[in-house]
Amino acid sequence: MGKCLFIMKKNKKSDGRKLTAKALQIEVLKFLLAHPRNTFAPSELPALLDVANNRHSVEHALAQLVQAGSVEIKKNGRYGVALDRLTTDNREVRKAEAPPARPRKRRPETPKMIEGRVDMTRSGAAYIISEALTEDVFVAPRYLNGALHGDIVQVLLFTKAHGRRGGARRPEGEVLRVLKRAKEFFIGTLRKGRKYALFSPDDPNMPVDVYVPLDACGEANDGDKVIVRITDWQEGKGRIPIGKVTQTLGATGGLDFEMNKILINAGFELSHSPEALAEAAQIPDLIPPEEYARRRDFRNVLTFTIDPEDAKDFDDALSIRPLDNGHLEVGIHIADVTHYLKPDTHLDAEAYRRSTSVYLVDRVNPMLPEKLSNHLCSLVPYEDRLTFSAVFEFDAEDRVVSRWFGKTVIHSLKRFTYEEAQTILEGRPTEALRLLTIYPQLEWALTTLNRIARKMRRERERNGAIGFDTDEVRFRLGEDGVPVEAYLKERKDAHLLIEDFMLLANKEVALFFQHKSAGQAEIPFVYRVHDLPNMEKVAEFARFAAEMGFPLQVSTPRQIAESYNRLMKAAQKDPRLKILEPLAIRTMAKAVYSTRNIGHYGLGFSHYTHFTSPIRRYADVLVHRLLEKNLGERIYRADRDRLEEQCKHISEQERKAADAERESVKYVQAELLRKHIGEVFEGYVSGIIERGFFVELPDTLAEGLVDFRTLREAHAVEDGNLRARGRRSNRVIKMGDRVRVRIVAVDSSRRQIEMEWVEAEEEE
């Protein structure tokens, strides 16, 4: 049984107490002294100590013990007793037991330096988020020294004497240098003079203008909206960056402009570099004969893809055939991107820098150039394609009895849309499908795979997986790109079938590395990890859910998973409970990539990775390379520190892409509601802040703000922003309340929708 499962099992029996910071340090040290030859991850210790403190508290205790010299961090990021320091000779022991000497005057604290990521605030100050500290470091605007939002920086920590006055002190510091810029492209307005031009960025997190030489302005005119690439940051106080116009956008406003602006502000380039495009153009279109010879041939096995209707990059296909022993063979075939994407090339460097494709409402900003993403690597029908496959044998009980990983070649016979595949699963295929020569085989394949997928789904739920299935909005756009309609995406068996087999492949590839490392030094690998939920947030959420008439059992991680699954099912029947789904998700940790495996809590897996989407995720590219180098008897160990650095970069890029995708959805939602100013809608209270409360409209999932100033009395926000109470009437507005609102104003460019509450007497 994996380490993560052992911890969860231990938690299930635990009703441990929450210790003070000092008591926790003592308990941690006692435990480590009792196991002097072992090392432990911070996430393992709460369960092993039988305490209610969370992982962050344990990490802080470990940091204090490391500073004291009694505990040390090992190479793999785990902690153990500092034996070399604790096993001192007799003179050191006597010295430790001697009466304390007269206290000397303390020397000033030695300034320390840390590395971290800049999180800018609206005031112009910033907080530095660093793994080296349990608290974020405050940096005043005058000490940022040119650092911008998202940059990785080196910070000098001030001594406590430099702390701000009043209130609890938090660490403060000054940025010494920028180690890595989050963005080099910006969108804004160009102002041309006689001798030079100045560029004013639209991004509020870029507080300085950029100097642009006239010969670097291209065809841009004075006042044009342009994209500028910073060519020289000119770091230092009082100096401004130098840039070059890379694209002229012309008129502002409209969907195309706003989508480009979202991508640039998130740090993604709009096009691939000339060097990367040139390398892609040189890749041969035809597969050389020798490549067929070195691969397992699946071209005569029934193979097909299932993807969204508008998809162009098909990176996974399924095959199925009966075996002579009565078992079934299922192949999960993934585009062999690494055959074309070679290390130490412009193509690879650019793919890593992007790390992900970005899916906006009306477009895809691809990680790879179109020749790879939509052509050579895409598993289109009726063409031979190179793949990296995970092949499983299922017995008569639909259990996996063997697995094989390796390079293959396939020939897809059908490209299904999700809607087409669903008609077959529901027994209502179109006439066009029925007329296909291979329809009987396709029908058998889909229904058989769906049966296996459902069993795997039920097994995951029994093992503690959480089935978050929240509503997702989609849009229909007119020919001019203007949004005309919003609708909620339905996830039916065809969607879940593909998801289930991708989960199987990802889990089994990760387990392959665990088995490969058994009895020897660990093989560094890229895991997709998901930590246990924040128990304080869970407890607060459970209290609120109980007030809404839905009690939850949340004493252990297993109980949380079971309760959340019960909530998801109940919300399908009671729309009022749907508001609890995003609140439940907020209690969860964020899934990230890491070389340090702590399991995937949300899926209930002890080992998990991403193997199935290398066209759009660089993490999968790394996994393919590591897997290929460790097939058979070969053992390859990558540099763990370098791999962990790559994991952090990819995780950060994934976060930026998700933010950009949300921004594009908010823009289109606002554009749709701009046509309905003055109209009344029914919605649910989805959030409460000091200024007012948000209302979500069910049909579009758009959120608007009702400002408390528009109501007839002041309101006090209480209980973790879950409710607000009128100071005069004592009337309570709480999350999930059903209300009627009128659309008052819409600012699409700022993604803001203003609403006013329509009370019952007003409607009358």
Side-chain angles (χ1 to χ4, degrees), residues 707-728:
D707 198 307
F708 285 136
R709 291 178 299 179
T710 65
L711 304 183
R712 299 174 181 176
E713 60 179 321
H715 284 70
V717 178
E718 54 188 47
D719 290 347
N721 288 28
L722 294 176
R723 59 179 59 75
R725 188 179 300 275
R727 295 188 183 276
R728 177 174 50 79

Side-chain angles (χ1 to χ4, degrees), residues 481-497:
V482 175
V484 295
E485 183 186 6
Y487 62 95
L488 298 184
K489 175 185 172 183
E490 287 188 276
R491 277 166 45 85
K492 297 185 176 180
D493 279 350
H495 299 84
L496 299 175
L497 180 159

Side-chain angles (χ1 to χ4, degrees), residues 470-724:
T470 55
D471 287 337
E472 194 173 340
V473 69
R474 289 285 187 267
F475 303 94
R476 291 187 180 90
L477 306 177
E479 292 183 4
D480 55 358
V482 175
V484 295
E485 183 186 6
Y487 62 95
L488 298 184
K489 175 185 172 183
E490 287 188 276
R491 277 166 45 85
K492 297 185 176 180
D493 279 350
H495 299 84
L496 299 175
L497 180 159
I498 293 297
E499 183 178 287
D500 291 327
F501 280 100
M502 298 307 115
L503 289 173
L504 172 67
N506 290 333
K507 178 188 73 171
E508 290 287 344
V509 168
L511 285 169
F512 170 86
F513 276 83
Q514 182 209 22
H515 300 318
K516 188 87 173 178
S517 297
Q520 57 182 307
E522 184 182 2
I523 300 173
F525 187 59
V526 177
Y527 294 98
R528 180 70 168 176
V529 299
H530 185 225
D531 208 345
L532 299 177
N534 183 310
M535 296 304 289
E536 293 177 3
K537 290 183 180 179
V538 169
E540 183 178 326
F541 169 67
R543 286 193 296 271
F544 180 69
E547 287 187 19
M548 290 188 66
F550 199 88
L552 302 173
Q553 296 295 321
V554 293
S555 299
T556 67
R558 185 59 178 263
Q559 283 186 349
I560 294 171
E562 291 171 351
S563 293
Y564 282 10
N565 281 330
R566 191 164 50 84
L567 171 62
M568 300 302 145
K569 291 176 181 176
Q572 293 175 2
K573 300 177 181 178
D574 184 354
R576 190 177 58 93
L577 294 177
K578 277 197 170 292
I579 206 67
L580 292 176
E581 292 179 340
L583 295 179
I585 293 173
R586 288 173 203 168
T587 68
M588 307 292 285
K590 299 291 184 186
V592 296
Y593 298 103
S594 178
T595 61
R596 297 172 177 84
N597 181 40
I598 59 170
H600 197 295
Y601 170 71
L603 293 173
F605 290 158
S606 62
H607 294 71
Y608 189 65
T609 189
H610 273 166
F611 165 78
T612 53
S613 295
I615 291 178
R616 62 184 179 91
R617 292 188 308 225
Y618 197 83
D620 305 55
V621 172
L622 292 177
V623 167
H624 280 217
R625 287 173 178 164
L626 293 170
L627 179 58
E628 182 180 12
K629 291 179 179 179
N630 282 282
L631 291 176
E633 300 301 317
R634 293 175 293 174
I635 292 180
Y636 169 79
R637 291 185 174 88
D639 180 86
R640 179 186 290 278
D641 292 340
R642 169 61 179 152
L643 201 57
E644 183 64 25
E645 179 184 327
Q646 291 174 313
C647 286
K648 289 178 181 177
H649 170 75
I650 294 168
S651 298
E652 178 64 18
Q653 290 299 100
E654 178 187 46
R655 183 190 64 79
K656 291 179 183 177
D659 289 344
E661 290 162 21
R662 279 192 294 271
E663 282 295 299
S664 78
V665 168
K666 287 180 180 179
Y667 172 80
V668 176
Q669 287 170 327
E671 277 291 283
L672 276 173
L673 288 183
R674 195 159 57 87
K675 305 170 186 175
H676 299 280
I677 292 175
E679 297 180 26
V680 175
F681 294 87
E682 193 172 80
Y684 295 89
V685 176
S686 57
I688 301 175
I689 58 176
E690 291 295 328
R691 182 182 162 192
F693 61 92
F694 291 96
V695 175
E696 182 182 277
L697 306 182
D699 293 336
T700 62
L701 301 187
E703 274 191 328
L705 179 69
V706 177
D707 198 307
F708 285 136
R709 291 178 299 179
T710 65
L711 304 183
R712 299 174 181 176
E713 60 179 321
H715 284 70
V717 178
E718 54 188 47
D719 290 347
N721 288 28
L722 294 176
R723 59 179 59 75

Side-chain angles (χ1 to χ4, degrees), residues 418-470:
Y418 282 118
E419 292 75 18
E420 276 185 315
Q422 188 63 35
T423 62
I424 295 177
L425 293 177
E426 293 176 357
R428 50 177 186 84
T430 63
E431 187 65 22
L433 283 172
R434 286 187 182 277
L435 291 175
L436 292 174
T437 306
I438 60 170
Y439 176 75
Q441 296 100 299
L442 291 172
E443 182 183 40
W444 169 81
L446 281 172
T447 53
T448 303
L449 290 169
N450 194 44
R451 183 193 73 221
I452 297 172
R454 285 181 168 181
K455 288 187 178 180
M456 291 192 294
R457 214 174 305 148
R458 289 194 294 270
E459 180 67 19
R460 282 203 312 276
E461 188 170 336
R462 283 195 294 269
N463 290 336
I466 302 176
F468 282 122
D469 191 12
T470 55

